[in-house]
Structure formats: structure tokens, C-alpha cells
Amino acid sequence: MVSRKEAKPQTCQLSESSDTSSSESEAESEPEQVSGYHRLLATLKNVSKEEEEEEEEEEDSVMDETEMNLEDGDSDISEEEDMAAESTDMQSSVASPADPEGKDGHGPPGTSEESPEEFTDAKHESLFSLETNFLEEESGGDSSPKASQDPFVQHVNTKLKEKEIQAVATNPKTTHQLKWPILGQVVFSSKFQKLETFKPPKDIDLKSVHLQKPLESTWIKTNSQFLSGPQKSNSPFTPLQKELFLIMNSYRDLFYPERTALKNGEEIRHVYCLHVINHVLKANAQVLGNNSRRRSQKLGVGDDDDFRDQGLTRPKVLIVVPFREAALRVVQLFISLLEGDSKKKIIVSNKKRFNGEYGSDPEERPPNLKRPEDYEAVFVGNIDDHFRIGVAILQRSIRLYAPFYSSDILIASPLGLRTIIGGEGEKKRDFDFLSSIELLIIDQADIYLMQNWEHVLHLMNHMNLLPLDSHGVDFSRVRMWSLNNWSKYYRQTLLFGALQDAQINSVFNKYCVNVQGQVAVRSVPMTGSISRVLVQLPHVFQRMQVESLASVIDARFNFFVNKILPQYRDAVMSHTLIYVPSYFDFVRLRNYFKKEELNFAHICEYTQKSGVSRARHFFLQGEKQFLLLTERFHFYKRYTIKGIRNLIFYELPTYPHFYSEVCNMLRATSRGEEAAWTCTVLYSKYDAQRLAAVVGVERAAQMLQSKKNVHLFITGER
């Protein structure tokens, strides 16, 4: 559990019934058992000066303990060992690397019986209740969205027939591809019979996109940082925002795989927060407006069927973000969008507590970190990854730490959700709050591949199920499609990530069945990351013959052991780094290397700091011939490994820029042996996306179709 305030780590454990709050929940949380994964995260920000100095200078001396501990090169096996037991059976192994306990989250931190209850705001319940509030008189009765042109109204009033729902299972997906000015290749698809596409208009004004008050005025001020510079028009959106918002506002599902923390992350965060607040304000205005009309008509509970305006539970929006810093930025945007520059400050309950738990102290950052820009942009602020918080919005007031069933918006990390959703057979578990989510936003999806993708799949499998409890809902106000258990066909999913990845694509294709259809951006990389390799190096790409996707893992291992490794066993081929993206592959290789008694060191995300230092030192000095390195270790640490002469990519990297980063590490210790440097890459026909990202789409196509299994590239030629 990483909290940048070491004095009082925050526990994020929701109370058993998450819409009640006990008096003890005000008390500060107790520290909880810290898992290996969280220890890894903790080291990210608390990097000691010695570690940095050691990284800058070559380690000339190693601690005395090295000799004592290192007979057979396995001194740094700590939490890793727990996961190695069944590692050879790759397909059946479900333990995920982000869970050092190897339980795939079934024993997550902080789920013990005696853990303290999570803080929820009990004081403001009636103030933010949708049942007991009405539209304010001065705001006029017209602020509930009823214009037939409003996309929100059109979406929630879409009528589906039983036979259409049944046909979805068997209907082929219809697709249509368009080219948009900024987004590039855009694929519209739908499982329902009608497929409508559109192209973005040249200019849009805020009137035409049906923003709820006060967003028309507050948006321009909130978004002003992106609108500076020579604007061709007075558009309130940047060109990218305009195209994204048009898709969001049409209530289609969206997959945008080009969101990077460095380039456009904040621009995108602004525009999806606008969509969220717009949606929630409209939905709540509809409920409050109907409350007022029912009061004026003196209707009792269940007297009239015309006021169906809500779901089975109150939470409408779920925003999944990887770190507390991202949650902080989202909430700050909500405040900015509701407040704008009006003289009247909005009420934000528990703001001080929120800033304390989600903020960070810039002085805690070690000053001498030398890391790539993209690393700095991703790991900024409070990078704890275990949190969840409910947010209620009533007109222009915000309640932070609202109990889940009194919230409009939930902001959480996959781990924070996993520990409350629980698993099969667990006593304390709750996922009713996901039953009526109308808008799901998964931001920075690629980072969850480096955390624990299982948590994302677990969440998707629990979305929009019928609740097990009624949670005090007035069924006469619930929309028919919610009662029919058709909510998933009305849920809009917005998925943002930094790369085209098979696992992310699979979630979009499998779980997004919105009646309005799906839009995926499918632009292809013309130049690959290999063009950013600065060293003179021959890259040998070796294609494996694979029968099926299920057999890839074993085929890769056998190909490596039988065809690749024998070439490197000779002592002449020392200083060989083997880069392994999958933790399971890493464990399998490590066990094989031990069995074969090869002279090797290994570093993964669970290796202790002293073990990392020793492994790097021995590899640099040539005392260890091989170094096994996991992709996650590189993602979280970005150390420069010195002393590499031969490089093997056991599989292509998840992030294409890691390919050039690792290749460029050869420069770190250039001692005139450049002529002997080698780089070998294993790939199969199932690696098409990753291959295209490294070598470019045209070369990738040639390499996959070619009769030859070996392809050579040479970089850095003068």
C-alpha cells in the first residue's frame, strides 16, 4: 500500500453495507499488511540517493554479504518463489503478477475481518438525496432535458424489442470504416441491425451539443489552457477534443488507443469529464424535475407510470483510473466545471480530507531521478493504486466520499474495485452498485496490463448485473430497460489507452454492446520504434511456426530452448540480456536455467533492491553470463542495465518504445566491442500488432507473409 504520507497509510476498505457509515469510520485508518506489489510501488517514489548514485557510477565494490549469499544465484528470490510452483503449466495458471500472493486477488490487502471501516460522509445524506430534493425555482422548470434533439434523451428513450435483444447473440457485426481529419481511421460497428455513421462537421458551437447549465460558460474557462495559440476558429474544443466529444455525445462506445500521458492525456481527461458532468446533471435534473411535477400533482408512490427516469441503483458513472493522482485531477475538473468563474463558490464537502489522501508532497520527490519523460508523466503525484471514492452531485454542489449507493459517480482503481467486488465464495462482497452504470470510462488502460489485467476482466464480468438487494429503490421510477436487465445495451463505454493491444481490443469487442454502436480508432503505425534505435546493431527477427493461439506459449519456449539458447551457451556469448514481457514466461525460463545449471542472474518486479544491485553488478562484470529481466521491472524502474552485448527479446515488448529503449542500453558501456553486438527477436503470426509497432506496418506485413523465417535489420549505420 503506497501512500506518500508514510506516517498514516490510508486503507481503502468499504464498509459491509457500503451505504452506511459508522462513527468509527471517521477515525484514521490503520496501516495494513503490505503486499510485495505494493512494496514495489513504494520504492518508485522513495528512491534513495545511494541507489541513484549507484546507478550513475559503475558498482566497483559490492557489499560483503554478496559472497555469503550468492552461491547459486538465487538469493533474491523472495515473493517470486511463491508463484513459481505451477508456473510450468502456463495456460492453467491464473495467479496474476500483480498479486504476489498468487491468489489473483482472493487475499487482497486490507480484507481481513478486523480492518477498519472506510470513511464515508454520513452528514450530507439528505442534502444530496435525489428522492427528497426538487428543482430549484430560480433555475426554471426547463432545466431538465426534454428537448427531443438532446442526445441524452434520445439515448435513454431508445426502445428495444425482445427479438432485437435475442438477435444480438447471433447477428454478425456490421462495420464501416471512415477517415476523420484528426482521429484518422475510424471503424463504426454495431451488433444491432441499424449502423449509422457520421463525419465531423467543420465547426461546432456549444449550443449544438446540448450542454446542461452551467457547462456552456464553465467549459471555455476550464479548457482554456488547450485553446491558446493560433486557433483557426473560435471553437471551444481542440480539434482532437471536438472529434472525441462528438462520438461521446452520440452515446456510442469509443476505443481510442493513442492516449499518452505526455502528449494528449490531459486534453482527453478534460473532454471526458465534461461528458460525465453533462450526463449526470441531465440525469439528475430529469429526476428532480419529475419530483417537482409529482409533488404538484400530489402523486403518491407508484401512482403513475410516466416518471421512469432512473436505474435500479443511483451510481450512473464509473471512472477507472490507475493512480490516486488521476482521481485527484478528475475531481478537480469536476469542481472547475461546476464552479467556472462565478462569484458563487460551490459547496464541496470533505475537500480537505480528499486533498490530504489523494494529493502528494512535491518535496518528497528525490531530486536526482533521471528518467525518461514518459515515465515522469505517468508516475507523477500520489501513485497509490488501491482506492475508490463515491461522488454525489446535486445541481452545483459536490459531495466527496459519498456512500456508494448515494453516489452519482464512482472513481476507483481496478484493485480498489476488486477488493469490494470480491470473489466466488467470499462472505463480504458487493457489486450491486455496478448494476445501473450508464457510462463506464476506463482511462490509461495500458497501465492495467502492467498492474493486473485480471482485475479489469473481473470488473467487466460484474457490470450491469441485476442487484441482489433493492437498496430502497422506488420501482415505479425505474426505467423499463433497467428492470428488463437490458442495462448493458444502454451502457456507454469509453476506453482510452496508449497502444493497440490484443487484450484491450478483446475487452472492447466482447463487453461493449451498446445499442448506439461502437467506434474504434484504428490508425496504424507507419514507422516503427526500431527507427529510434541509435546504436549500430543487427536485429535478427526469428519467426516461430505456431499452429494455434493456445499453443503459442509452449511453442515459444521450445523454440527458444532448442533453436536460440544453444547459440548463446558458448562463453564467448557472455553479457546476454533476455527481455521477457510475461512474468509466467520469466518463471518458466528461470526454472529451466536453474535445472540446466546455467550461469545466470535474474531481476523481476518482486526482486529486492539488494538482489537487483548484485544481479546488475555480476552481469556488468561478466561473472554471470545471462540476465533474465521482466518487462514490468523495466516499466516500474527504468534502470539502465550496463554491460549488455547480446540482446534477446523473448517476445516483442508491450510498449513499442521499450524496444528502442532497451536496444539503446548497449551504449551505456561501449568498450570497442560494438562489432560483436547482437539482437535477436522471437515473433509469430499472432504478434502482428506488436510487430507493426516495432518495425512499421508495411515491413510487418512482409515479414508475416514471407516464406523466409529469418529477417535482418541493421540500425545505426553511418
Side-chain angles (χ1 to χ4, degrees):
M1 185 75 173
V2 190
S3 179
R4 298 274 300 277
K5 312 257 184 300
E6 289 184 8
K8 44 166 192 175
Q10 296 298 335
T11 318
C12 291
Q13 183 53 45
L14 215 68
S15 54
E16 186 158 8
S17 69
S18 51
D19 56 346
T20 59
S21 168
S22 70
S23 53
E24 314 97 73
S25 68
E26 295 283 344
E28 282 305 321
S29 308
E30 297 290 316
E32 58 190 15
Q33 281 305 107
V34 181
S35 73
Y37 178 54
H38 289 83
R39 279 201 289 275
L40 159 72
L41 271 172
T43 63
L44 270 173
K45 286 299 180 189
N46 305 322
V47 183
S48 66
K49 284 185 182 153
E50 309 92 77
E51 182 178 353
E52 286 307 317
E53 284 157 14
E54 159 206 294
E55 196 177 336
E56 296 314 313
E57 302 159 21
E58 292 180 8
E59 300 103 330
D60 294 325
S61 61
V62 182
M63 302 160 287
D64 297 338
E65 60 176 300
T66 305
E67 282 71 34
M68 290 160 31
N69 292 340
L70 262 177
E71 278 86 42
D72 56 358
D74 59 357
S75 67
D76 54 340
I77 302 166
S78 49
E79 295 94 335
E80 321 166 27
E81 208 56 82
D82 304 340
M83 297 187 66
E86 302 97 20
S87 63
T88 45
D89 183 11
M90 290 297 160
Q91 272 85 359
S92 67
S93 184
V94 292
S96 184
D99 274 321
E101 300 90 63
K103 300 176 187 167
D104 186 25
H106 291 295
T111 47
S112 58
E113 291 302 312
E114 65 276 3
S115 65
E117 296 210 337
E118 192 172 294
F119 169 74
T120 48
D121 170 17
K123 286 189 296 194
H124 301 91
E125 191 65 32
S126 62
L127 185 66
F128 283 86
S129 164
L130 281 183
E131 290 81 42
T132 55
N133 281 288
F134 304 90
L135 270 186
E136 294 170 8
E137 294 306 318
E138 72 262 23
S139 66
D142 62 341
S143 64
S144 65
K146 54 176 178 280
S148 59
Q149 296 302 307
D150 189 314
F152 166 80
V153 176
Q154 289 178 339
H155 178 58
V156 296
N157 291 343
T158 302
K159 296 264 192 298
L160 277 177
K161 296 188 178 71
E162 183 81 46
K163 62 171 186 275
E164 287 180 281
I165 298 289
Q166 288 167 351
V168 166
T170 53
N171 278 353
K173 186 178 271 192
T174 49
T175 62
H176 185 72
Q177 190 159 312
L178 292 175
K179 192 159 180 25
W180 279 31
I182 306 297
L183 295 180
Q185 294 300 327
V186 173
V187 179
F188 286 79
S189 60
S190 177
K191 278 281 220 165
F192 290 86
Q193 289 304 316
K194 58 180 196 306
L195 174 64
E196 294 172 12
T197 64
F198 68 97
K199 280 202 137 180
K202 281 216 164 63
D203 288 311
I204 53 170
D205 64 347
L206 287 179
K207 288 273 181 287
S208 68
V209 292
H210 297 274
L211 292 183
Q212 192 77 347
K213 290 178 185 173
L215 297 177
E216 274 186 34
S217 57
T218 59
W219 168 249
I220 293 178
K221 178 170 187 283
T222 303
N223 200 42
S224 57
Q225 67 186 91
F226 301 112
L227 298 175
S228 54
Q231 286 287 309
K232 286 180 185 158
S233 64
N234 295 324
S235 170
F237 298 99
T238 66
L240 173 65
Q241 285 176 334
K242 179 184 84 170
E243 295 189 5
L244 290 175
F245 189 73
L246 284 166
I247 296 168
M248 291 178 193
N249 208 31
S250 70
Y251 280 90
R252 287 168 171 85
D253 294 326
L254 169 66
F255 174 36
Y256 181 70
E258 293 167 34
R259 177 241 188 264
T260 58
L262 261 182
K263 194 174 67 186
N264 54 19
E266 291 313 304
E267 204 180 327
I268 291 168
R269 198 192 316 274
H270 274 65
V271 77
Y272 76 62
C273 285
L274 171 69
H275 182 52
V276 166
I277 294 290
N278 195 31
H279 180 85
V280 169
L281 289 178
K282 285 177 182 178
N284 286 357
Q286 196 179 35
V287 173
L288 299 178
N290 283 342
N291 287 354
S292 301
R293 279 190 283 282
R294 284 169 67 99
R295 181 174 59 175
S296 63
Q297 294 171 25
K298 298 191 168 48
L299 290 172
V301 171
D303 279 1
D304 199 322
D305 227 25
D306 293 341
F307 297 108
R308 296 195 177 275
D309 53 17
Q310 52 201 272
L312 287 158
T313 52
R314 180 167 169 182
K316 308 174 217 347
V317 179
L318 171 61
I319 302 177
V320 182
V321 287
F323 304 120
R324 282 184 185 243
E325 171 68 21
L328 177 74
R329 291 183 185 187
V330 165
V331 170
Q332 286 169 342
L333 277 173
F334 289 168
I335 295 169
S336 172
L337 284 167
L338 289 173
E339 198 166 68
D341 49 5
S342 61
K343 303 286 179 284
K344 199 172 158 191
K345 285 276 184 199
I346 64 166
I347 302 162
V348 182
S349 59
N350 305 306
K351 189 176 179 181
K352 188 176 175 194
R353 181 188 186 106
F354 176 74
N355 286 334
E357 291 183 7
Y358 285 75
S360 60
D361 183 353
E363 289 177 11
E364 286 181 10
R365 186 168 181 78
N368 54 346
L369 268 177
K370 289 191 177 70
R371 293 287 181 269
E373 282 179 302
D374 66 294
Y375 178 94
E376 299 287 355
V378 168
F379 295 107
V380 65
N382 187 335
I383 54 161
D384 173 24
D385 70 334
H386 188 183
F387 60 90
R388 51 182 174 261
I389 185 169
V391 180
I393 291 175
L394 203 77
Q395 286 159 12
R396 293 184 71 168
S397 305
I398 296 184
R399 176 192 188 194
L400 301 174
Y401 297 96
F404 268 26
Y405 291 97
S406 304
S407 301
D408 296 300
I409 302 166
L410 309 175
I411 307 170
S413 64
L415 179 62
L417 289 166
R418 180 67 179 79
T419 51
I420 186 175
I421 293 170
E424 224 32 74
E426 285 180 29
K427 278 187 200 158
K428 280 176 77 169
R429 57 183 310 212
D430 183 9
F431 44 85
D432 285 0
F433 58 86
L434 299 172
S435 65
S436 298
I437 296 291
E438 297 160 9
L439 175 51
L440 167 65
I441 295 173
I442 301 179
D443 198 7
Q444 294 175 272
D446 51 286
I447 292 180
Y448 312 132
L449 294 170
M450 297 291 137
Q451 289 180 342
N452 191 335
W453 191 248
E454 287 293 323
H455 295 339
V456 176
L457 299 178
H458 195 69
L459 165 67
M460 297 310 290
N461 286 324
H462 289 83
M463 290 298 298
N464 299 113
L465 303 176
L466 280 175
L468 303 172
D469 191 8
S470 68
H471 300 282
V473 68
D474 173 0
F475 286 101
S476 71
R477 298 286 294 272
V478 178
R479 295 189 186 100
M480 288 313 294
W481 49 259
S482 215
L483 292 172
N484 287 340
N485 196 19
W486 292 349
S487 293
K488 67 177 179 182
Y489 301 109
Y490 289 82
R491 184 191 77 234
Q492 181 185 26
T493 306
L494 306 176
L495 189 54
F496 301 101
L499 40 100
Q500 294 269 14
D501 181 87
Q503 293 179 88
I504 303 175
N505 285 340
S506 159
V507 161
F508 188 71
N509 294 332
K510 182 178 174 185
Y511 295 101
C512 298
V513 286
N514 184 342
V515 62
Q516 306 298 341
Q518 290 71 44
V519 178
V521 175
R522 295 268 185 244
S523 297
V524 289
M526 296 316 288
T527 58
S529 61
I530 197 168
S531 61
R532 294 193 290 277
V533 176
L534 305 172
V535 293
Q536 192 167 349
L537 185 63
H539 305 253
V540 179
F541 283 77
Q542 302 237 17
R543 187 175 64 196
M544 316 170 298
Q545 298 302 331
V546 183
E547 296 304 314
S548 67
L549 188 57
S551 64
V552 167
I553 294 169
D554 288 330
R556 190 184 305 279
F557 179 75
N558 293 329
F559 184 82
F560 176 80
V561 165
N562 299 325
K563 300 274 169 59
I564 306 296
L565 196 56
Q567 304 167 28
Y568 288 85
R569 284 191 169 211
D570 196 322
V572 180
M573 301 296 275
S574 65
H575 296 275
T576 298
L577 175 83
I578 304 172
Y579 178 95
V580 192
S582 157
Y583 182 79
F584 298 127
D585 287 340
F586 166 81
V587 172
R588 190 176 188 178
L589 286 174
R590 190 191 66 197
N591 292 348
Y592 176 81
F593 275 43
K594 271 192 200 165
K595 194 178 87 193
E596 293 292 309
E597 297 181 349
L598 293 175
N599 181 23
F600 78 106
H602 51 89
I603 300 176
C604 75
E605 55 271 30
Y606 306 119
T607 308
Q608 290 172 356
K609 206 172 93 180
S610 57
V612 173
S613 301
R614 286 194 295 275
R616 290 171 69 199
H617 172 79
F618 287 147
F619 182 68
L620 174 63
Q621 301 301 331
E623 293 174 39
K624 299 285 178 188
Q625 184 176 349
F626 296 98
L627 175 61
L628 290 174
L629 184 83
T630 63
E631 180 166 74
R632 279 192 182 157
F633 177 82
H634 183 66
F635 176 79
Y636 282 108
K637 294 294 191 187
R638 296 295 177 89
Y639 285 178
T640 298
I641 305 295
K642 296 174 182 171
I644 308 170
R645 292 180 199 165
N646 304 295
L647 190 50
I648 301 174
F649 285 93
Y650 186 77
E651 185 181 357
L652 284 154
T654 307
Y655 286 94
H657 65 279
F658 283 3
Y659 184 85
S660 50
E661 254 176 45
V662 174
C663 288
N664 288 332
M665 285 181 189
L666 277 80
R667 290 188 302 177
T669 44
S670 184
R671 293 178 181 154
E673 70 278 330
E674 289 91 333
W677 285 350
T678 67
C679 173
T680 302
V681 185
L682 278 63
Y683 75 99
S684 75
K685 62 185 177 185
Y686 296 108
D687 294 323
Q689 277 179 325
R690 290 187 182 188
L691 187 64
V694 169
V695 300
V697 71
E698 287 177 8
R699 282 170 168 172
Q702 289 166 6
M703 290 165 69
L704 292 166
Q705 289 158 15
S706 166
K707 289 191 169 61
K708 289 190 300 181
N709 286 332
V710 180
H711 297 266
L712 174 67
F713 293 82
I714 295 181
T715 53
E717 285 185 295
R718 283 181 182 81

